[in-house]
Amino acid sequence: MLSLVIFLPLAAALGLLAFPRLRDRTVIWAWIGACVADLALVVGMWLGYDGAGGGVGYEANLRWIPSVRAGYHIGVDGLSLPLIAMTAVLFLACAVFSLRQARRVRAFAVLFLFLQTVCLGLFAALDLLLFFVFFDLSIVGMYFVIAGWGHGDNVRSALKFFLYTFLGALVLLLGFIGLYLGADPHTFDMTELTRTPPLAGSPGPAALVLLAVGIGLAIKTPTVPVHTWLPPAHTDAPAAGSAILAGVMLKMGTYGFVRIAMPMLPDAWRRYAWAAIVVGVVSVLYGALVALAQDNLKRLIAYTSVNHMGYVVLAVGAAGLAAGDMDARRLATTGAVTQMVSHGLITGALFLLSGVLYDRGHSYEMGRYGGIARGAPLFAALTAVAAFASLGLPGLSGFIAEFQIFTGSIGSGTGAAAAGAALAILGIIITAALFLRVLHRTLLGPPGSRTAQVTDIHRSELAAIAPLLALSLIIGIAPRFLLDVIEPASAAVVSLVAR
């Protein structure tokens, strides 16, 4: 079933290419149908998954490149299944949002279906070489989305995105080769590398491999100071492209920390976890402060992604410290995965809402809008809910994730983690200030030069955005269905790091 989930979107893309005379409307409905079918399969997998022991389900392991012991090895556990489900939800939302797409619809749909297969494949991969293939293909797909359907200086932004993240991918490949060479016997299989960590008795080489893996994943996340590709890529990308880039593709970096860096290099991770805490705190505060200074709504949302991914890096750093309470470290890891899911839903909604604004007024400058709530009350209500969810208001998913991260980091009993969490709490205050500023400048106050152009949200836009916020609300009120899946896998990762 997992292979079907991964490759169904790609099969749909090939089907669209095989029938070139289909009308644009038919193409989009076929795209939506493929996403609905894929999400239904993911829901079936979720209901059938027994994650009580944090084990791998729906596993498949086929020979691929036997000379280097690399295989088509896939499976899901409590770390990957929530991200696979979030990926399916976000791609469906983008398909529905694109019902009004009028420019090169077939190519647009095919690219997004290709990206869906790539993203699902990466989260399901249990082989480092397979992980890298999907990691690299995601860069190619998003490059064409930004360059082909973006606006502004989109070609330059797409090129910067590609070169920056491709460099990170090459550094990551060096780290994977180091893990392969350090294993005995040599293998790229992630379960074997987790069971018997390579370079366990070689602190110097292990530190170099961790540095390579960490840089490659940090660029993808992104964290300060390797984040500079993100704001222009988001600003000039189409709304659906930004939603996937922030909601799904940034999680490839943070997921890699939990799946690869922590369990496969446990000694090195314990030794240098303080560095992850420092990078996480700096990203939290820098991302929030720079976002506060933005007048461009899309750049502002982009910098809040740096801020929110900083919380995840802080949590995995706190979970990896050599000393500290085990229960608190497990809670921090659970909070990190929950934050990935929460950020995907909320930021996906925010970028789609910014796309609605650009569709009407052809500008992201907040100074050109004001008093939108009077003429577009439904748009204003959705924007307010998304903003409050992003700043961590209780009752929404952001609060659940950040509460676990801060409680786990402070409760670990180590000074570095507690100090980092205390500083990162300032990020919540700054985030609250910047989103209240957004609401005041765009929804309230005197009308701007483009306010009259902003009509209320259309049905297709509502059908794409409202479910994302509804899921954030459900997780915020009744998170157990999600946490019961994540917690056993988080406990297993922390145990591996502490062994």
Side-chain angles (χ1 to χ4, degrees):
M1 180 181 284
L2 184 55
S3 292
L4 181 59
V5 166
I6 293 170
F7 292 105
L8 175 61
L10 183 60
L14 295 175
L16 291 177
L17 292 175
F19 295 95
R21 295 187 179 182
L22 291 176
R23 293 183 304 167
D24 288 350
R25 195 74 172 175
T26 305
V27 167
I28 292 184
W29 279 111
W31 175 17
I32 293 172
C35 291
V36 169
D38 213 41
L39 179 58
L41 289 172
V42 172
V43 171
M45 284 176 49
W46 188 295
L47 295 175
Y49 174 69
D50 181 14
V56 177
Y58 303 99
E59 191 172 6
N61 192 357
L62 304 175
R63 289 165 63 89
W64 179 30
I65 311 177
S67 59
V68 294
R69 297 192 69 191
Y72 173 74
H73 192 184
I74 57 172
V76 298
D77 63 1
L79 301 178
S80 56
L81 185 56
L83 294 174
I84 287 173
M86 179 204 69
T87 299
V89 168
L90 268 176
F91 272 96
L92 175 57
C94 290
V96 173
F97 186 83
S98 301
L99 274 168
R100 293 168 57 82
Q101 176 73 26
R103 187 157 57 106
R104 300 198 304 277
V105 173
R106 183 189 310 277
F108 191 73
V110 166
L111 267 176
F112 270 81
L113 288 166
F114 167 77
L115 274 172
Q116 185 169 353
T117 284
V118 168
C119 295
L120 292 169
L122 181 137
F123 292 130
L126 293 177
D127 182 274
L128 288 178
L129 205 54
L130 187 64
F131 181 99
F132 178 77
V133 168
F134 287 127
F135 191 93
D136 241 13
L137 289 176
S138 70
I139 299 171
V140 176
M142 187 52 66
Y143 166 80
F144 284 111
V145 169
I146 298 171
W149 288 267
H151 37 256
D153 198 3
N154 58 311
V155 175
R156 179 184 177 90
S157 297
L159 184 62
K160 183 175 183 179
F161 157 78
F162 182 88
L163 293 177
Y164 218 128
T165 52
F166 187 68
L167 173 63
L170 293 179
V171 177
L172 182 65
L173 180 61
L174 289 177
F176 286 176
I177 293 173
L179 289 170
Y180 169 80
L181 295 175
D184 187 19
H186 299 329
T187 182
F188 282 106
D189 190 272
M190 293 163 73
T191 55
E192 293 184 26
L193 292 170
T194 300
R195 189 181 305 116
T196 308
L199 304 170
S202 306
L208 291 176
V209 171
L210 179 61
L211 179 63
V213 171
I215 290 174
L217 297 175
I219 291 175
K220 193 74 169 183
T221 298
T223 63
V224 176
V226 289
H227 67 287
T228 53
W229 62 267
L230 183 69
H234 272 311
T235 303
D236 297 332
S242 291
I244 296 303
L245 180 58
V248 179
M249 291 179 60
L250 301 192
K251 311 308 177 298
M252 295 177 178
T254 49
Y255 173 74
F257 283 115
V258 182
R259 172 65 72 198
I260 298 170
M262 291 176 69
M264 296 183 195
L265 295 163
D267 293 339
W269 187 263
R270 287 195 305 269
R271 194 174 298 114
Y272 298 104
W274 61 268
I277 293 175
V278 171
V279 170
V281 172
V282 171
S283 297
V284 166
L285 297 178
Y286 178 87
L289 286 169
V290 177
L292 183 63
Q294 299 302 311
D295 289 320
N296 184 297
L297 178 61
K298 224 178 180 194
R299 287 182 72 89
L300 181 147
I301 300 171
Y303 277 110
T304 62
S305 292
V306 178
N307 164 264
H308 284 90
M309 291 298 95
Y311 291 122
V312 178
V313 177
L314 165 65
V316 297
L321 290 171
D325 180 75
M326 288 291 290
D327 289 335
R329 293 161 69 182
R330 285 192 286 267
L331 184 62
T333 307
T334 302
V337 180
T338 308
Q339 175 74 337
M340 294 183 216
V341 176
S342 172
H343 177 265
L345 297 172
I346 296 167
T347 305
L350 282 169
F351 275 119
L352 293 181
L353 285 164
S354 70
V356 172
L357 199 64
Y358 186 86
D359 179 67
R360 311 297 196 269
H362 302 289
S363 175
Y364 294 118
E365 296 300 322
M366 291 186 288
R368 298 183 177 184
Y369 303 97
I372 290 176
R374 178 174 298 177
L378 189 54
F379 171 83
L382 291 172
T383 304
V385 172
F388 285 124
S390 188
L391 63 85
L393 190 73
L396 295 160
S397 59
F399 173 78
I400 299 295
E402 291 169 10
F403 173 79
Q404 291 180 104
I405 289 172
F406 289 126
T407 304
S409 299
I410 296 172
S412 65
T414 58
L423 287 172
I425 287 176
L426 295 174
I428 296 179
I429 300 172
I430 301 170
T431 304
L434 69 91
F435 274 114
L436 290 174
R437 175 172 168 265
V438 169
L439 298 179
H440 176 75
R441 293 193 66 179
T442 59
L443 306 184
L444 308 174
S449 60
R450 309 259 172 120
T451 301
Q453 299 172 253
V454 182
T455 57
D456 212 349
I457 201 163
H458 298 297
R459 284 182 297 178
S460 61
E461 296 163 342
L462 177 64
I465 297 167
L468 301 179
L469 299 178
L471 281 172
S472 176
L473 180 64
I474 291 169
I475 294 172
I477 295 174
R480 184 171 177 177
F481 78 97
L482 176 63
L483 301 183
D484 283 350
V485 173
I486 297 173
E487 284 172 353
S490 299
V493 170
V494 172
S495 298
L496 289 169
V497 175
R499 63 187 165 186

